[in-house]
Amino acid sequence: MPKLRNGDLFPGLNFDAVGGGVISLPSDLAGSFGAVLIYRGSWCPYCNAQLAGFSRAADALAGVGIKVAALSVDDKAASVALVEKHHLTFPVGYGADADKVAAATGAYTNEDSHFLQSTGFVLDACGKVITAVYSTGAIGRLVADDVVGFVRYVKSHK
Protein backbone atom coordinates (compact mmCIF):
# COMPACT_ATOMS: atom_id res chain seq x y z
CA MET A 1 0.00 0.00 0.00
CA PRO A 2 1.72 3.20 -1.14
CA LYS A 3 1.75 6.20 1.17
CA LEU A 4 0.37 9.54 0.04
CA ARG A 5 3.11 12.09 -0.54
CA ASN A 6 3.11 15.87 -0.50
CA GLY A 7 1.48 17.11 -3.69
CA ASP A 8 -0.69 14.00 -4.16
CA LEU A 9 -4.41 14.60 -4.55
CA PHE A 10 -6.23 13.07 -1.59
CA PRO A 11 -8.30 10.11 -2.86
CA GLY A 12 -12.05 10.35 -3.16
CA LEU A 13 -13.61 8.59 -0.17
CA ASN A 14 -17.14 8.64 1.29
CA PHE A 15 -18.28 7.79 4.82
CA ASP A 16 -21.56 7.83 6.69
CA ALA A 17 -21.55 10.80 9.06
CA VAL A 18 -22.72 11.11 12.64
CA GLY A 19 -25.89 13.19 12.52
CA GLY A 20 -26.77 11.99 9.03
CA GLY A 21 -25.51 12.44 5.54
CA VAL A 22 -22.21 11.49 4.04
CA ILE A 23 -18.70 12.88 4.37
CA SER A 24 -17.13 13.13 0.91
CA LEU A 25 -13.39 13.64 0.94
CA PRO A 26 -11.68 15.69 -0.24
CA SER A 27 -14.61 17.59 -1.78
CA ASP A 28 -16.21 18.53 1.57
CA LEU A 29 -12.98 20.35 2.48
CA ALA A 30 -12.49 22.02 -0.92
CA GLY A 31 -11.73 25.72 -0.92
CA SER A 32 -10.19 25.58 2.55
CA PHE A 33 -7.21 23.93 4.10
CA GLY A 34 -8.29 20.59 5.55
CA ALA A 35 -7.27 18.22 8.31
CA VAL A 36 -8.30 14.60 7.81
CA LEU A 37 -8.02 12.61 11.03
CA ILE A 38 -8.17 8.84 10.77
CA TYR A 39 -8.47 7.57 14.32
CA ARG A 40 -8.21 4.08 15.80
CA GLY A 41 -11.57 4.10 17.57
CA SER A 42 -13.57 5.62 20.38
CA TRP A 43 -11.94 3.20 22.82
CA CYS A 44 -8.47 4.70 22.21
CA PRO A 45 -7.46 7.28 24.87
CA TYR A 46 -4.94 8.92 22.52
CA CYS A 47 -7.60 9.32 19.82
CA ASN A 48 -10.01 10.78 22.37
CA ALA A 49 -7.37 13.32 23.39
CA GLN A 50 -6.62 14.22 19.76
CA LEU A 51 -10.25 14.70 18.76
CA ALA A 52 -11.06 16.66 21.93
CA GLY A 53 -8.03 18.86 21.22
CA PHE A 54 -9.23 19.61 17.70
CA SER A 55 -12.67 20.41 19.09
CA ARG A 56 -11.23 22.84 21.66
CA ALA A 57 -9.17 24.47 18.90
CA ALA A 58 -12.19 25.04 16.63
CA ASP A 59 -11.88 28.83 16.72
CA ALA A 60 -8.14 28.80 16.00
CA LEU A 61 -8.61 26.30 13.15
CA ALA A 62 -11.44 28.33 11.62
CA GLY A 63 -9.43 31.50 12.08
CA VAL A 64 -6.82 30.30 9.60
CA GLY A 65 -9.33 28.59 7.30
CA ILE A 66 -8.96 24.94 8.27
CA LYS A 67 -11.87 22.49 8.05
CA VAL A 68 -11.62 19.18 9.92
CA ALA A 69 -13.08 15.74 9.23
CA ALA A 70 -12.47 12.54 11.20
CA LEU A 71 -13.26 8.89 10.56
CA SER A 72 -12.84 5.41 11.94
CA VAL A 73 -14.12 1.86 11.61
CA ASP A 74 -16.31 2.38 14.71
CA ASP A 75 -20.00 1.67 14.38
CA LYS A 76 -22.64 4.38 14.49
CA ALA A 77 -23.47 4.03 18.21
CA ALA A 78 -19.83 4.30 19.32
CA SER A 79 -19.27 7.28 17.01
CA VAL A 80 -22.37 9.11 18.23
CA ALA A 81 -21.27 8.58 21.85
CA LEU A 82 -17.78 9.91 21.05
CA VAL A 83 -19.16 13.04 19.37
CA GLU A 84 -21.47 13.67 22.32
CA LYS A 85 -18.76 13.00 24.93
CA HIS A 86 -16.34 15.53 23.45
CA HIS A 87 -18.89 17.91 21.89
CA LEU A 88 -17.22 17.48 18.51
CA THR A 89 -18.39 20.07 16.01
CA PHE A 90 -16.57 18.79 12.93
CA PRO A 91 -17.87 15.92 10.76
CA VAL A 92 -17.14 12.43 12.10
CA GLY A 93 -17.48 9.45 9.80
CA TYR A 94 -18.11 5.91 10.93
CA GLY A 95 -18.10 2.40 9.53
CA ALA A 96 -14.99 2.93 7.40
CA ASP A 97 -13.74 -0.15 5.57
CA ALA A 98 -10.21 -0.52 6.96
CA ASP A 99 -8.88 -2.30 3.89
CA LYS A 100 -10.36 0.21 1.45
CA VAL A 101 -9.07 3.22 3.39
CA ALA A 102 -5.64 1.62 3.82
CA ALA A 103 -5.42 0.85 0.10
CA ALA A 104 -6.38 4.41 -0.83
CA THR A 105 -4.30 6.32 1.74
CA GLY A 106 -1.53 3.99 2.87
CA ALA A 107 -2.80 4.01 6.47
CA TYR A 108 -1.56 1.16 8.62
CA THR A 109 -4.07 -1.33 9.99
CA ASN A 110 -4.15 -3.51 13.07
CA GLU A 111 -4.76 -7.05 11.96
CA ASP A 112 -6.09 -8.50 15.24
CA SER A 113 -9.10 -6.24 15.64
CA HIS A 114 -8.79 -4.87 12.10
CA PHE A 115 -8.93 -1.14 12.68
CA LEU A 116 -7.02 1.74 11.14
CA GLN A 117 -4.01 3.14 12.95
CA SER A 118 -3.88 6.88 13.55
CA THR A 119 -3.19 8.69 10.30
CA GLY A 120 -3.51 12.38 9.59
CA PHE A 121 -3.35 14.58 6.53
CA VAL A 122 -3.28 18.32 6.04
CA LEU A 123 -4.67 19.28 2.64
CA ASP A 124 -4.46 22.50 0.67
CA ALA A 125 -7.57 24.19 -0.73
CA CYS A 126 -7.40 22.00 -3.85
CA GLY A 127 -7.35 18.73 -1.86
CA LYS A 128 -3.65 18.04 -2.28
CA VAL A 129 -1.63 16.62 0.60
CA ILE A 130 0.76 19.15 2.11
CA THR A 131 1.77 16.92 5.01
CA ALA A 132 0.95 13.40 6.19
CA VAL A 133 1.51 11.68 9.52
CA TYR A 134 1.41 7.88 9.57
CA SER A 135 1.46 5.92 12.81
CA THR A 136 2.01 2.19 13.17
CA GLY A 137 0.58 2.15 16.70
CA ALA A 138 -1.16 4.10 19.43
CA ILE A 139 0.98 7.24 19.43
CA GLY A 140 2.07 9.65 16.72
CA ARG A 141 -0.60 11.90 15.28
CA LEU A 142 -1.53 15.42 14.18
CA VAL A 143 -2.07 17.97 16.95
CA ALA A 144 -4.40 20.93 16.40
CA ASP A 145 -1.90 23.61 17.46
CA ASP A 146 0.71 22.18 15.08
CA VAL A 147 -1.78 22.14 12.20
CA VAL A 148 -2.73 25.78 12.86
CA GLY A 149 0.94 26.82 13.01
CA PHE A 150 1.80 24.84 9.89
CA VAL A 151 -1.02 26.37 7.85
CA ARG A 152 -0.04 29.85 9.04
CA TYR A 153 3.51 29.12 7.88
CA VAL A 154 2.33 27.80 4.50
CA LYS A 155 0.12 30.86 3.95
CA SER A 156 2.92 33.27 4.88
CA HIS A 157 5.29 31.67 2.35
CA LYS A 158 3.06 31.73 -0.72
Side-chain angles (χ1 to χ4, degrees):
M1 80 187 100
K3 306 290 180 244
L4 294 176
R5 300 194 181 280
N6 292 351
D8 288 348
L9 184 62
F10 193 83
L13 297 170
N14 297 307
F15 307 96
D16 290 328
V18 171
V22 173
I23 298 171
S24 295
L25 298 175
S27 60
D28 284 357
L29 306 175
S32 297
F33 284 88
V36 177
L37 309 174
I38 299 172
Y39 66 98
R40 300 169 83 218
S42 59
W43 50 266
C44 173
Y46 301 103
C47 299
N48 275 259
Q50 178 193 35
L51 297 174
F54 271 84
S55 186
R56 286 189 304 272
D59 290 342
L61 291 158
V64 292
I66 303 168
K67 293 181 181 177
V68 178
L71 63 105
S72 77
V73 301
D74 277 354
D75 64 19
K76 182 178 182 178
S79 300
V80 167
L82 178 73
V83 168
E84 290 174 355
K85 177 180 179 181
H86 296 295
H87 310 287
L88 303 180
T89 56
F90 49 83
V92 175
Y94 63 88
D97 179 315
D99 293 326
K100 180 180 175 184
V101 174
T105 66
Y108 291 95
T109 59
N110 178 292
E111 295 307 317
D112 295 338
S113 302
H114 210 59
F115 57 83
L116 292 154
Q117 295 290 3
S118 177
T119 311
F121 302 94
V122 179
L123 310 180
D124 69 10
C126 297
K128 291 184 179 179
V129 175
I130 57 175
T131 200
V133 176
Y134 289 92
S135 179
T136 60
I139 62 170
R141 62 195 62 238
L142 290 175
V143 176
D145 288 344
D146 291 348
V147 173
V148 168
F150 178 64
V151 168
R152 281 187 182 135
Y153 174 84
V154 169
K155 285 181 164 186
S156 72
H157 286 82
K158 277 196 163 187

